[in-house]
């Protein structure tokens, strides 16, 4: 995930299934409003929402509030680390 200061992002995916590699890219926009992190995906035309907590200058934890995608887990969360 590459989040840019102008509110755009690029998300690179790589999957491996039955020895076949698939790669694809999603682009979109992100913003924060009323303490909620929003991520609009241009390909799907859907917006995910997350609670977030800044852990330190390099780490942010995200916890899903709402997504149309099935993450196989109701309490989906992840930590992003700043790339220097």
């Amino acid at each position: 995930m590459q989040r840019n200061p102008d509110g755009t992002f690029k998300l690179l995916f790589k999957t491996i299934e039955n020895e076949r590699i698939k790669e694809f890219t999603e682009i979109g926009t992100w913003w924060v409003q009323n303490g909620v992190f929003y991520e609009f995906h241009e390909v799907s035309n859907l917006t995910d929402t997350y609670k977030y907590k800044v852990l330190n200058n390099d780490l942010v934890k995200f916890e899903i509030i709402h997504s149309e995608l099935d993450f196989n887990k109701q309490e989906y969360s992840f930590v992003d680390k700043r790339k220097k």
Side-chain angles (χ1 to χ4, degrees), residues 3 52-62 78-84:
R3 289 190 185 91
Y52 69 96
K53 181 177 182 179
V54 177
L55 302 175
N56 61 40
N57 285 340
D58 295 322
L59 300 173
V60 178
K61 181 177 182 180
F62 294 89
F78 59 94
V79 175
D80 273 1
K81 181 177 182 181
R82 180 190 316 259
K83 187 174 179 180
K84 295 181 181 185

Side-chain angles (χ1 to χ4, degrees), residues 38-49:
Y38 292 83
E39 197 172 80
F40 173 75
H41 298 259
E42 290 184 13
V43 173
S44 65
N45 206 32
L46 298 173
T47 302
D48 298 333
T49 56

Side-chain angles (χ1 to χ4, degrees), residues 3-18:
R3 289 190 185 91
N4 301 308
D6 67 357
T8 60
F9 73 82
K10 183 187 295 186
L11 181 56
L12 307 173
F13 286 97
K14 181 186 249 185
T15 62
I16 302 171
E17 187 176 339
N18 297 326

Side-chain angles (χ1 to χ4, degrees), residues 7-40:
T8 60
F9 73 82
K10 183 187 295 186
L11 181 56
L12 307 173
F13 286 97
K14 181 186 249 185
T15 62
I16 302 171
E17 187 176 339
N18 297 326
E19 299 182 18
R20 299 181 99 173
I21 298 173
K22 293 181 183 177
E23 294 180 316
F24 57 97
T25 302
E26 285 191 24
I27 59 171
T29 54
W30 66 269
W31 67 96
V32 175
Q33 184 176 352
N34 298 324
V36 175
F37 182 89
Y38 292 83
E39 197 172 80
F40 173 75

